[in-house]
Amino acid sequence: MCGLTGWVSFDRDLAQHQADLEVMTATMACRGPDDEGTWTDRHAALGHRRLAVIDLKGGTQPMSVRTDDGTVTIVYTGETYNFTELRGELVRRGHRFRTRSDTEVVLHGYLEWGEAVTEHLNGMFAFAVWDARAHKLILVRDRLGIKPLYYFSTDDGVLFGSEPKAILANPLAERTVDLDGLRGLFSFTQPPGAAVWRGMREVEQGGMVIVDRAGLRERRYWTLETRPHTDDRQTSIDTVRSLLEDIVGRQLVSDVPRCSLLSGGLDSSVVTALAAAKGDEQVRSFAVDFVGQAENFVGDALRGTPDAPYAREVAAYVGTKHSSIVLEHSAMADREVRRKVIAARDGLFTMGDMDTSLYLLFKAIREHSTVALSGESADEVFGGYSWFHHPTVQAADTFPWLAVPVAGARAQVSDRFNAGITAALDLPAYIRDQYASAMSEVEHTDGESEHERRMRVICHLYLTRFVRMLLERKDRISMAVGLEVRVPFCDHRLVEYVYNIPWALKSFDGREKSLLRAAASDLLPTSVLERAKAPYPATRDPLYAGALLQQGKELLSADDPVFELVERSRLDDIVRRDAATMPISDRNIIEQVLDMSAWLDIYRPHLQLS
């Protein structure tokens, strides 16, 4: 895992802009703490920061191959899990390698197959290739969009980077946020390719951007296709198990210490159990917990049970070396931690204490491991949320996560800004337009019942819209501390296979994730197999709420520019309440205002909100 950036300009000599390139590259230092490198040609400049995971000595970047017709250079981030097989095929085709890195395999794959190299790759990746033979740049992103890649068109080329901050470091980039940028972010319906910053775009998942003197072109090399599913129940279960065993085995490959993220839920427990069975050494596992969580925990419709007992049970059952990272309320409320999370995400919206605790968890894990396997995205792949089965959600004429009838689980899209900005945003109209656009992408098979058609739509929306938000969060926060998080459930082979299984078969026992539970029936304790879905934990510590109240009061006493965006009276009313009885919704509002304040201070953006 690494960070990349670059600049292509057909009217400038970029050899004269080395200082600009170095500044852009330096913004990716957290993503790549182990090494850095830059490369410039007349019209192309590439920068790279490396987190060394495979071939620690030989995989330095940017990496080039000289041909008779010109040099081809790559900057790459991520992992190609089938690089060993591809190397063997390329050797048979006459290629010779100098390193053991997957980067060199992708580079030679491009030399052999051109843009079609993407069809051969299994992994999570984003990369840029400057092909001097044709004077063109190719930007590529993996099928599910696990690894980020942004770009910003200029008058004579393009700026690009793993994160917006790399692009914003260039003097040509605008630090402007307008209504469209806020609409996508705060409606939880950001369309593929959109970014918060005006003029900036994200390479779409399964997408490619080609830049040459003729201009900039986008195309998709992969989409989530609808296909008939003919396997019976047992064959489907066996296939899921076989795929997961292969996926986890591939994703354990690493030249640095690795671990698993273990919450005690079904998804992370399956990954941990398979890793423990496949690995050649004892797996380390980590879980997050909070001081006083056992005493303060009260079950509700969203989180019925605490994670810690189940995580410990799984660890003992499969034999991992387990550690719980127990967080103090003061660390999660720390202003500098909040600023680091905001800076990591480049945006004015976070998930509050769930983001700060994730950052602190990853920071603690990084002291022991460089690579972590996660159960992220299993819910989106297998239909793991309980509300998939709720008639209200199934019938809703909108994105399903906006219709969840469970307190605390429904995405809230209103009441963040003052009345003027709220009216200008008109989020209900924006959501309707985005929903219609997303619906138009769904293909159906002949003979599907109305219920099966609707459930296919819901699954498609989660896999093409909702999961992007989760993957962005996981990548940006983990890479802020130099931790590579791998997501086995996002292997495109598994996603394609399970997506096309009819809903009746996906939920054959009337519960969420029927197929996954059946495929893992011999791997885990019964208590974990039968445990209801619980999302990432939030602290219940009233001391954390008390710290937020104090910070809210201090913000109110200052002349903070955040009150140009939100109503001062709204926060003033909340901070007068008792921390011990303050509802989560009020706590979230304080967190959101503090987030906005930190973002305005860090980025000093130009806002065009009228």
Side-chain angles (χ1 to χ4, degrees), residues 77-309:
T77 175
E79 304 294 341
T80 296
Y81 300 122
N82 63 334
F83 77 98
T84 301
E85 299 98 308
L86 288 178
R87 181 199 302 274
E89 181 175 352
L90 289 165
V91 167
R92 289 190 293 273
R93 290 170 177 259
H95 293 259
R96 296 293 177 264
F97 292 88
R98 298 178 292 104
T99 75
R100 296 186 296 105
S101 71
D102 56 344
T103 302
E104 190 178 16
V105 172
V106 175
L107 177 56
H108 280 265
Y110 174 79
L111 293 172
E112 181 65 32
W113 297 299
E115 295 169 11
V117 64
T118 56
E119 300 169 12
H120 298 262
L121 305 180
N122 176 302
M124 57 175 193
F125 50 80
F127 60 88
V129 173
W130 172 250
D131 190 340
R133 301 172 302 180
H135 297 282
K136 71 175 180 179
L137 174 77
I138 301 97
L139 303 175
V140 175
R141 194 172 179 209
D142 65 70
R143 294 170 180 84
L144 270 293
I146 304 166
K147 303 315 299 175
L149 184 55
Y150 294 83
Y151 64 96
F152 183 96
S153 294
T154 65
D155 290 341
D156 67 332
V158 69
L159 306 169
F160 59 92
S162 293
E163 298 179 7
K165 60 175 64 70
I167 295 170
L168 295 173
N170 189 289
L172 294 181
E174 301 178 37
R175 286 178 175 255
T176 300
V177 174
D178 58 16
L179 290 171
D180 275 342
L182 294 186
R183 286 184 182 113
L185 182 64
F186 284 95
S187 67
F188 299 95
T189 62
Q190 191 176 65
V196 173
W197 302 90
R198 192 177 70 179
M200 195 178 297
R201 285 186 57 78
E202 193 171 18
V203 178
E204 292 190 33
Q205 55 269 51
M208 179 183 299
V209 174
I210 300 99
V211 183
D212 56 22
R213 289 186 179 275
L216 183 150
R217 303 177 299 284
E218 299 176 89
R219 74 173 181 88
R220 299 289 295 277
Y221 67 87
W222 182 88
T223 56
L224 188 59
E225 295 181 352
T226 296
R227 303 166 186 162
H229 183 81
T230 58
D231 291 346
D232 61 18
R233 180 194 297 181
Q234 191 57 53
T235 303
S236 299
I237 292 169
D238 293 343
T239 302
V240 167
R241 174 63 174 267
S242 177
L243 281 168
L244 284 172
E245 289 179 348
D246 179 70
I247 293 164
V248 172
R250 290 177 181 275
Q251 296 197 18
L252 284 171
V253 175
S254 170
D255 291 340
V256 292
R258 64 203 180 198
C259 68
S260 72
L261 308 177
L262 176 60
S263 70
L266 178 64
D267 313 336
S268 65
S269 298
V270 169
V271 170
T272 301
L274 289 171
K278 285 274 187 180
D280 54 2
E281 59 187 42
Q282 186 181 29
V283 172
R284 292 206 66 159
S285 59
F286 293 90
V288 68
D289 204 357
F290 310 102
V291 172
Q293 183 77 338
E295 296 80 6
N296 296 318
F297 185 87
V298 177
D300 56 28
L302 194 58
R303 298 177 179 88
T305 54
D307 286 344

Side-chain angles (χ1 to χ4, degrees), residues 5-25:
T5 189
W7 184 4
V8 167
S9 173
F10 293 105
D11 293 341
R12 293 177 175 83
D13 180 359
L14 292 184
Q16 305 303 313
H17 292 268
Q18 179 69 26
D20 291 325
L21 177 63
E22 290 176 356
V23 171
M24 295 168 69
T25 304

Side-chain angles (χ1 to χ4, degrees), residues 537-601:
T539 182
R540 307 297 180 95
D541 192 342
L543 292 176
Y544 175 74
L548 289 181
L549 285 176
Q550 180 59 37
Q551 291 180 25
K553 292 174 182 177
E554 293 171 4
L555 196 65
L556 283 165
S557 67
D559 186 20
D560 196 286
V562 73
F563 294 114
E564 297 176 12
L565 303 179
V566 302
E567 298 289 357
R568 179 185 292 268
S569 59
R570 187 170 175 219
L571 183 61
D572 186 58
D573 179 57
I574 292 174
V575 299
R576 298 174 188 273
R577 300 175 187 174
D578 180 26
T581 59
M582 185 170 63
I584 293 292
S585 58
D586 285 352
R587 195 177 83 178
N588 291 344
I589 290 171
I590 300 176
E591 290 174 329
Q592 291 159 13
V593 175
L594 293 172
D595 288 348
M596 289 184 189
S597 173
W599 178 75
L600 289 169
D601 185 59

